[in-house]
Amino acid sequence: MKVLFNKYVGAVAISVMVLFAAQAQETKKTEHSTKHNHAEKVDDVYRGYFDDNQIMPRMLADWKGDWQSVYPLLQDGTLDPVMAHKAEKGDKTAEEYRAKYEVGYRTDVNRIVINDNDVAFYEKGKVYKGIYKDDGYEILNYDAGNRGVRFIFAKVEGDAAAPEFIQFSDHRIAPAAVGHYHLYWGNDRALLLKELTNWPTYYPSSKSGEEIVAEMTAH
């Protein structure tokens, strides 16, 4: 009788172990699937595919920091490896991509410093500042079928040279700290939304040219 009991207990223990192992495996599969789905959704948003209800208002604090324009890096050849990388993956030569980004990155504002609601523009040795408030966002539909979101801020006070509106685009549609962004600025909110060829781009001023190249070629 004792032998039968021990066999029974042993069988139950093995069954429990098998059940726990199966549950653990299923949990791992679920976690992996969840992470995979999340990564896919983030990638979709980055490429411009999202639903309206995914968009959330953002504060200027998302772009807080000291930022450098990448235009000088294009001009001095630092970004040549990026253009070569794009040519390997795309349908243009490195020179054709360089010509495209020559227009896209072009700006005389080589540095921007954002602190709270204060935005300082550094242009040709001069500095002008503005205080900005949230002015909503606009969804843009592109010919390629994807979309983008411009987060807009309006000047409430500051230097006359500071633009009336600034519009951020950074491939994100909800609050998040960012590693770089494209900035549009001007005095006509509606007209500014039509600008699609010139998108001055800014990375943290603390980053070296080599670090920026590494980030750009990682996409």
Side-chain angles (χ1 to χ4, degrees):
M1 188 72 176
K2 184 175 181 180
V3 173
L4 290 176
F5 177 77
N6 287 341
K7 286 183 178 180
Y8 173 76
V9 171
V12 169
I14 291 173
S15 297
V16 170
M17 290 173 63
V18 170
L19 178 61
F20 280 144
Q23 289 178 335
Q25 187 66 25
E26 189 63 32
T27 298
K28 287 183 179 179
K29 287 181 179 179
T30 301
E31 290 176 349
H32 176 76
S33 177
T34 300
K35 290 179 180 178
H36 181 71
N37 290 339
H38 177 70
E40 282 189 338
K41 289 180 179 179
V42 170
D43 189 53
D44 284 344
V45 169
Y46 187 89
R47 293 186 294 113
Y49 298 97
F50 51 84
D51 296 325
D52 290 0
N53 59 13
Q54 292 177 262
I55 305 171
M56 297 177 63
R58 299 173 69 179
M59 298 177 63
L60 199 55
D62 279 6
W63 301 277
K64 183 178 180 179
D66 192 322
W67 305 89
Q68 62 175 309
S69 165
V70 298
Y71 185 48
L73 300 179
L74 180 72
Q75 291 181 303
D76 68 15
T78 300
L79 299 187
D80 284 354
V82 178
M83 302 302 117
H85 177 72
K86 290 182 179 296
E88 291 174 0
K89 298 175 61 178
D91 58 357
K92 297 181 178 65
T93 67
E95 281 303 312
E96 288 172 332
Y97 275 112
R98 193 186 188 288
K100 173 184 176 181
Y101 284 85
E102 168 68 30
V103 176
Y105 288 158
R106 184 181 299 152
T107 182
D108 289 327
V109 178
N110 288 339
R111 181 186 177 201
I112 292 177
V113 178
I114 301 173
N115 185 26
D116 296 325
N117 295 321
D118 182 300
V119 181
F121 302 82
Y122 291 73
E123 180 179 7
K124 296 181 177 179
K126 297 180 180 180
V127 184
Y128 46 92
K129 299 181 180 180
I131 305 297
Y132 293 85
K133 69 172 184 178
D134 176 35
D135 196 42
Y137 61 81
E138 298 288 346
I139 302 172
L140 302 184
N141 296 297
Y142 303 133
D143 292 339
N146 57 340
R147 303 192 297 167
V149 179
R150 298 267 187 98
F151 292 91
I152 305 171
F153 296 84
K155 186 174 73 173
V156 292
E157 60 180 280
D159 299 327
E164 293 297 321
F165 296 94
I166 53 177
Q167 301 182 354
F168 291 87
S169 175
D170 58 14
H171 312 288
R172 297 175 184 269
I173 58 174
V178 300
H180 77 276
Y181 60 85
H182 311 292
L183 188 66
Y184 307 78
W185 61 85
N187 297 329
D188 188 319
R189 188 184 192 276
L191 185 62
L192 200 55
L193 290 169
K194 297 179 180 180
E195 176 57 73
L196 300 175
T197 57
N198 176 231
W199 14 265
T201 301
Y202 294 86
Y203 275 74
S205 294
S206 59
K207 287 189 177 295
S208 67
E210 290 73 18
E211 288 174 319
I212 292 173
V213 166
E215 286 193 21
M216 288 184 170
T217 53
H219 293 305

